[in-house]
Amino acid sequence: MTHDMGRGTPPEPPNSPNGPYPPGPGGWGGWWMPPPPKPGVIPLGPLGLGQVLGGAFATVRRAWKPLYGLALIVFCVPAVFTGASMYQSYSTTKKHFRELSFGAPGGLPDLDLFSAASAAAILLSLGGLLAMLIGNAVLQTASVAALRHTVVGRAVTFGALWREVRPRVRAVIVVGLLTALIFVVPYVLLVLGIQAAVASAWDAAGGPALINLPGWLIPVGLLGGLLTGILGIWLWVRFTFAPAAVVLEGLGPIAAMRRSAQLVKGDSWRVFGISLLALVIAAAAALVIQLPFQLVGMVALFSEVLPDADEIPTVDSFFSAMIIPMVIGMVGQFVGQCVAAPLTPLANGLLYVDRRIRTENLAVSLAEAAGVRLPAQPQPPQPYIPPQAGPYGPPPAG
């Protein structure tokens, strides 16, 4: 009897109706693996796409009170900065647009005042961006901290969540700033390349020279922005798990970014795909929430600006009518952002858990924390080996 080592299927043993393996408990004669326990929002085993996204939504359902309560608090500050910036711009431009419309006695409006108002609006906008960055960092920290409880089936309270967020949020802010700096170079190069292309086209059309930029900046800016943008996306994927490493492992910003790169290594495309999909789902959810507010704002705008077909709207009526849709749009943006903001950090946090389950057997620690027992890992059955010639086998043929 001979055995072909080039094929994966061993020969059928004699007098064995089940082939080389004993009948498994699955009922079909194959080997059956018991499913991992699920004390919380995910099973304590390697996660698929549906389990990552489903676990993120399940965490929102279980911890919506502390998560959304914290989101309302941290996003109120950027909303105040944005509202102040819009009011500053409105209060300044309303007067001067009226002068342009009805004729200013001294000629054109004061350009210095316009410049001062623009500078104030820009400073307020930058303050709003900084407040938004801090708010996103706080919510990222809170989302990952909530996973610590929901994965093992524990309840999440606002007080416990805030106690975990407060000591770690500074490191997450630094991680956010360092990650944002990755895209500064490609953004600047793309802006310079686009501006050079527009200036070149404007000059070719015979328009007055607005800004002098060399022609070589067009390919350098566009191609350089594209290449550095691809590099930035690659780095962004490598640092995806840094906030989770800060919160769940207590690491500093640089150590957390190194830890993230270590965990992502070997699974970059999967991490990129699921993270991007979670980002798209969050953006779509925010857009769906904002859409009714935008429609109401448009109805309010047209009902105020065009009350009568024969009446020509004045500058005052136009600016007054713009306030209502702006406020309604800001409210819709605020609500949509608060609702959708936790989804992406939750999905990234569950990807972090999945990677550690796959590479570091984190499921054992999670099972101990949840008070459950993982199923015993059955040993694969030994393949059938035909009897060999020798003192305990049949004599050789011939």
Side-chain angles (χ1 to χ4, degrees):
M1 183 179 295
T2 61
H3 177 51
D4 186 2
M5 297 298 293
R7 298 180 182 179
T9 303
E12 189 82 3
N15 302 323
S16 175
N18 298 309
Y21 304 123
W28 289 91
W31 194 257
W32 178 77
M33 288 284 291
K38 187 179 177 181
V41 295
I42 57 169
L44 302 184
L47 305 178
L49 171 63
Q51 292 166 327
V52 170
L53 298 179
F57 283 101
T59 300
V60 170
R61 288 194 300 269
R62 293 195 180 194
W64 68 272
K65 289 182 179 179
L67 283 178
Y68 287 150
L70 197 58
L72 287 173
I73 294 172
V74 298
F75 286 137
C76 272
V77 178
V80 169
F81 274 100
T82 304
S85 175
M86 294 176 64
Y87 178 77
Q88 172 71 20
S89 302
Y90 164 74
S91 62
T92 303
T93 55
K94 176 182 176 181
K95 172 186 175 183
H96 293 288
F97 267 104
R98 188 187 299 115
E99 291 178 359
L100 288 174
S101 177
F102 296 105
L108 292 175
D110 187 1
L111 295 181
D112 292 336
L113 186 58
F114 264 118
S115 300
S118 300
I122 290 173
L123 288 176
L124 287 171
S125 299
L126 291 177
L129 288 175
L130 181 60
M132 182 67 69
L133 177 64
I134 296 174
N136 282 328
V138 172
L139 199 57
Q140 272 188 324
T141 310
S143 300
V144 178
L147 283 177
R148 187 197 299 271
H149 300 276
T150 58
V151 164
V152 296
R154 293 197 295 257
V156 185
T157 63
F158 186 90
L161 196 63
W162 178 245
R163 284 192 295 271
E164 293 188 38
V165 166
R166 189 171 53 189
R168 306 310 309 164
V169 69
R170 186 180 304 173
V172 176
I173 291 174
V174 175
V175 168
L177 283 172
L178 294 176
T179 306
L181 288 176
I182 294 172
F183 295 99
V184 170
V185 172
Y187 175 78
V188 171
L189 287 175
L190 284 175
V191 168
L192 289 177
I194 293 172
Q195 285 188 348
V198 171
S200 178
W202 183 262
D203 183 63
L210 299 178
I211 183 172
N212 293 321
L213 292 175
W216 57 263
L217 194 58
I218 300 175
V220 170
L222 296 180
L223 185 60
L226 178 62
L227 294 178
T228 55
I230 294 173
L231 176 62
I233 293 174
W234 179 74
L235 291 174
W236 170 71
V237 173
R238 287 179 65 86
F239 300 146
T240 298
F241 298 152
V246 168
V247 178
L248 298 179
E249 300 185 43
L251 300 178
I254 304 301
M257 296 173 82
R258 291 199 191 101
R259 173 70 165 149
S260 175
Q262 175 191 359
L263 289 173
V264 171
K265 186 178 180 180
D267 204 15
S268 300
W269 282 109
R270 179 171 177 268
V271 172
F272 170 70
I274 296 179
S275 298
L276 183 62
L277 180 59
L279 190 63
V280 170
I281 291 174
L287 182 62
V288 169
I289 294 171
Q290 294 175 30
L291 189 59
F293 292 89
Q294 298 292 338
L295 293 176
V296 172
M298 292 295 293
V299 171
L301 174 62
F302 284 109
S303 63
E304 290 290 335
V305 175
L306 301 174
D308 190 351
D310 298 330
E311 181 181 348
I312 299 177
T314 64
V315 175
D316 288 335
S317 65
F318 179 78
F319 272 92
S320 299
M322 287 292 292
I323 295 177
I324 297 176
M326 280 185 177
V327 171
I328 294 175
M330 285 182 59
V331 171
Q333 184 177 5
F334 177 76
V335 174
Q337 189 173 25
C338 288
V339 171
L343 295 178
T344 303
L346 285 173
N348 291 339
L350 288 172
L351 273 174
Y352 162 87
V353 173
D354 169 67
R355 287 298 297 157
R356 290 196 61 188
I357 287 176
R358 293 173 185 267
T359 61
E360 300 176 354
N361 203 17
L362 182 64
V364 175
S365 300
L366 294 176
E368 292 177 356
V372 297
R373 178 177 297 179
L374 291 175
Q377 298 294 325
Q379 297 296 323
Q382 298 297 321
Y384 170 75
I385 300 176
Q388 303 296 316
Y392 301 103

